[in-house]
Amino acid sequence: MIRILTDSSSGLTLNDAKKIGVEMVHMPINFDGTEYIDGKDLNHEEFYKKLVESKNPPKTSAINQATFEEIFEDVKKKGEEMVVLLISSGLSVTNDQAMQAKDAVGYDKIYIINSLATVATLIALVMEAVRMRDSKMKGADIAKELNVLVPKAKLFAYVDTLKYLRAGGRISATSAVVGGLLNVKPIIILTEGKLVNENKCVGAAKAKQYLLTKFKEYKNIDFSKPVYFGHAHTHKECENLKAAAKQIHNFIDGGTWYISATVGTHTGPGAVLIAFFEK
């Protein structure tokens, strides 16, 4: 039996994971001294409500080695295989904790892929792993194929507010104030496992158009695989973006997903994204 493990930074809910036969570990989130477990104690809607209401930004933590050891020991005991897809090592030490747990357990049929991904790109990779598992591929072969796909997973997004980037130390207070006055919307891309600022637009309409233009002009999208969309508690805006994207390209709809608390802590509400694979 091949088991697949991911984490809550993907944005998958427990029900989502159950439907596709995937196991999940959950990121801790701390609001003003009270710890919650993402996806268990706090769903997406509750997280964004607390994020807006909280005076101080929440803090997120990596999943510890002991959590992974417990799961991996069970896999070893049952003689099963496990494919592990977690948040990018460029964004969290969670992947490192899993690697240390594998070494401690000493079982070579656990395949940990450094996804270099998060949110919708991580979901995209998980869905590919599920497809391969369901087609009866072996764990080692799934891992090999996923390692080929990892650098092909692309994401671009715009952030609606600078408040949370400033609170997390991603930009200076001065930049946040000036940018807020000018209604600046940063354009974020995923590159080498990190979310980085590619550009900025004035106003949400121009930011949305920027994403659509990138989607139109991108020369190497693999339309044999689904295109995924994500949002930070702005489902309607994301659906509008998807509808506009469908006017540009005919694609398989990979769904509309929440931006998880792990990433939403830094983007704040209002962000939207497009994710896909290159050929």
Side-chain angles (χ1 to χ4, degrees), residues 205-266:
K206 288 185 178 179
K208 174 184 174 182
Q209 189 55 50
Y210 185 93
L211 298 193
L212 290 170
T213 299
K214 282 183 69 72
F215 188 60
K216 180 179 181 179
E217 295 179 352
Y218 209 100
K219 301 298 184 183
N220 202 29
I221 299 175
D222 184 354
F223 288 112
S224 71
K225 295 184 176 6
V227 176
Y228 296 79
F229 293 79
H231 67 95
H233 206 46
T234 46
H235 186 270
K236 183 177 180 180
E237 181 61 30
C238 191
E239 288 297 326
N240 289 339
L241 178 70
K242 183 192 292 188
K246 284 183 176 179
Q247 298 300 311
I248 297 170
H249 290 299
N250 182 28
F251 57 82
I252 303 166
D253 186 356
T256 302
W257 305 88
Y258 256 96
I259 293 173
S260 65
T262 304
V263 176
T265 293
H266 303 290

Side-chain angles (χ1 to χ4, degrees), residues 72-239:
F72 295 168
E73 286 286 4
D74 184 63
V75 175
K76 180 180 179 180
K77 178 181 177 181
K78 294 175 179 176
E80 297 171 334
E81 295 182 283
M82 176 169 271
V83 175
V84 183
L85 281 160
L86 306 168
I87 185 172
S88 169
S89 62
L91 299 172
S92 171
V93 298
T94 295
N95 198 77
D96 295 334
Q97 293 292 298
M99 291 295 293
Q100 291 172 29
K102 177 183 174 180
D103 290 343
V105 170
Y107 187 58
D108 62 3
K109 291 188 178 180
I110 295 169
Y111 306 96
I112 301 173
I113 291 89
N114 187 359
S115 74
L116 300 180
T118 188
V119 292
T121 45
L122 184 52
I123 290 176
L125 288 166
V126 168
M127 293 300 189
E128 289 300 309
V130 168
R131 178 185 61 78
M132 288 185 266
R133 176 202 65 195
D134 292 349
S135 66
K136 310 302 181 184
M137 287 177 63
K138 295 180 179 179
D141 294 330
I142 294 174
K144 183 178 180 180
E145 289 295 321
L146 288 172
N147 279 318
V148 172
L149 281 174
V150 162
K152 297 179 181 181
K154 304 298 176 181
L155 174 155
F156 41 87
Y158 76 77
V159 174
D160 190 57
T161 173
L162 300 175
K163 174 182 175 181
Y164 301 92
L165 291 172
R166 190 264 181 224
R170 308 287 178 175
I171 60 173
S172 70
T174 301
S175 295
V177 170
V178 173
L181 290 172
L182 295 175
N183 198 23
V184 167
K185 312 296 181 185
I187 304 298
I188 305 296
I189 63 171
L190 181 69
T191 181
E192 296 181 351
K194 296 182 179 180
L195 294 169
V196 299
N197 189 355
E198 181 193 60
N199 208 333
K200 57 187 176 183
C201 297
V202 176
K206 288 185 178 179
K208 174 184 174 182
Q209 189 55 50
Y210 185 93
L211 298 193
L212 290 170
T213 299
K214 282 183 69 72
F215 188 60
K216 180 179 181 179
E217 295 179 352
Y218 209 100
K219 301 298 184 183
N220 202 29
I221 299 175
D222 184 354
F223 288 112
S224 71
K225 295 184 176 6
V227 176
Y228 296 79
F229 293 79
H231 67 95
H233 206 46
T234 46
H235 186 270
K236 183 177 180 180
E237 181 61 30
C238 191
E239 288 297 326

